[in-house]
Amino acid sequence: MELLDRITKEERALFLAYDQGLEHGPTDFTDVSVDPAKIFELGLAGKCTGIIVQKGIAQKYYWETSVGRAIQTQLPLIIKLNGKTNLLQDTDPYAPLLCTVAEAKTLGAVAVGYTVYVGSEFESKMTEEFAAVIRDSHEEGMPVIGWMYPRGRHIPDPHDEIIVAYASRLGLELGADMVKMQYPHTQQAMRHAVQAAGKTKVVISGGTKTDEASFLQLATDIMATGAIGMAVGRNIWQQDDPLSVIEKLKSIIFAKDSENISL
Ligand code: FBP
């Protein structure tokens, strides 16, 4: 079994991202999406290839949803091991390790994620922690996803083509199985980042909520660049009908010929 098989289907991925409670605070949530149980139920109903949460949410909700234990086999758990709030507004961010690979495994995770703020003053601290996470995860046979986000005072434009390709390449160099990138605004830049990542697979994050049609067009554009899928939070669970957005996204992500769509 390939390392990524448990969090991909036909080598494609759609992850439901739900770590925003830590990263942004509850202002991101509605009365419904504030309840983690509802998000687990959504991910299960939508047959996402994984759900991404911090350890506290995994601990208190993953095993407790109304759908019960079925969830473990049908909705693979990905625990984000580090994170930070947005209250400090640091120019050069650092997201400390909050959960170990061993803890994540005990909680039922089949994969783990870690953010590296590429170019931040604290980059070396994060690459060092990330290297240890990769070592521990691979010893357990678990895949690792690197959130490779260029940020900090040395990064005037986090969407710059060269910078984004450098960040995805860093994921490959460090041994990540997959990298999660923010879309650099052009397909050319995205393609470059996918090419730079080599055998490390690339997924793209959803970003702030936009209207559904624009978001689905973005997904189509992304899938034409060689990325294998997306990790989406707000553009799913902030929409009026999240399940239908998941279905539409799946029809784009899992379309067999998406890579051949001409640019
Ligand atoms: P969204 O689809 O809601 O953008 O989630 C993707 C994600 O990477 C989350 O995992 C994370 O909480 C958030 O975006 C971080 O966004 P930022 O660092 O830009 O505030």
Side-chain angles (χ1 to χ4, degrees):
M1 196 192 216
E2 294 287 325
L3 214 47
L4 289 175
D5 282 358
R6 290 179 78 180
I7 53 167
T8 55
K9 193 178 153 207
E10 296 162 5
E11 299 182 352
R12 298 282 167 92
L14 174 58
F15 303 135
L16 189 56
Y18 191 64
D19 59 332
Q20 291 81 355
L22 187 148
E23 298 288 338
H24 303 154
T27 51
D28 271 5
F29 303 137
T30 63
D31 284 350
V32 176
S33 59
V34 72
D35 180 357
K38 294 278 187 295
I39 303 298
F40 279 115
E41 284 162 16
L42 175 66
L44 190 65
K47 297 192 172 62
C48 293
T49 62
I51 185 161
I52 300 163
V53 294
Q54 286 280 344
K55 82 169 182 190
I57 302 287
Q59 222 168 42
K60 297 198 168 42
Y61 292 88
Y62 187 59
W63 299 100
E64 305 289 332
T65 54
S66 59
V67 278
R69 287 187 172 252
I71 204 167
Q72 203 209 5
T73 47
Q74 292 168 28
L75 182 63
L77 180 67
I78 301 164
I79 294 190
K80 182 75 192 314
L81 300 182
N82 69 337
K84 60 157 192 58
T85 73
N86 67 5
L87 297 173
L88 296 178
Q89 296 288 325
D90 287 332
T91 316
D92 285 83
Y94 166 65
L97 192 73
L98 306 169
C99 175
T100 65
V101 170
E103 281 177 282
K105 193 176 180 204
T106 305
L107 289 167
V110 296
V112 293
Y114 182 99
T115 300
V116 179
Y117 292 115
V118 180
S120 161
E121 187 185 329
F122 304 104
E123 180 198 89
S124 59
K125 211 166 161 183
M126 288 175 277
T127 48
E128 197 175 351
E129 279 184 10
F130 189 40
V133 161
I134 292 171
R135 206 174 298 127
D136 293 348
S137 305
H138 287 174
E139 264 174 33
E140 297 288 355
M142 290 162 78
V144 183
I145 308 169
W147 275 229
M148 307 304 288
Y149 288 2
R151 235 163 254 189
R153 68 182 190 283
H154 299 291
I155 308 286
D157 178 7
H159 300 294
D160 175 80
E161 179 174 339
I162 302 297
I163 295 289
V164 175
Y166 200 163
S168 69
R169 181 67 180 205
L170 182 61
L172 168 68
E173 301 281 346
L174 293 174
D177 304 293
M178 192 183 276
V179 287
K180 177 169 177 288
M181 312 292 300
Q182 291 178 323
Y183 190 62
H185 297 322
T186 68
Q187 284 180 307
Q188 160 60 27
M190 194 65 252
R191 245 186 211 288
H192 190 175
V194 170
Q195 183 195 40
K199 288 187 178 181
T200 294
K201 304 297 181 195
V202 179
V203 295
I204 311 300
S205 69
T208 50
K209 184 191 165 198
T210 56
D211 68 278
E212 190 183 303
S214 312
F215 184 65
L216 295 174
Q217 182 56 52
L218 174 70
T220 307
D221 293 347
I222 285 170
M223 293 310 296
T225 65
I228 68 151
M230 296 184 74
V232 182
R234 292 165 287 177
N235 271 290
I236 291 178
W237 41 255
Q238 285 182 350
Q239 301 285 5
D240 293 338
D241 187 351
L243 191 53
S244 101
V245 179
I246 291 180
E247 293 306 337
K248 287 171 195 163
L249 270 178
K250 276 171 33 187
S251 68
I252 295 167
I253 291 172
F254 295 95
K256 279 287 163 218
D257 56 353
S258 52
E259 250 188 83
N260 299 324
I261 297 167
S262 59
L263 297 179

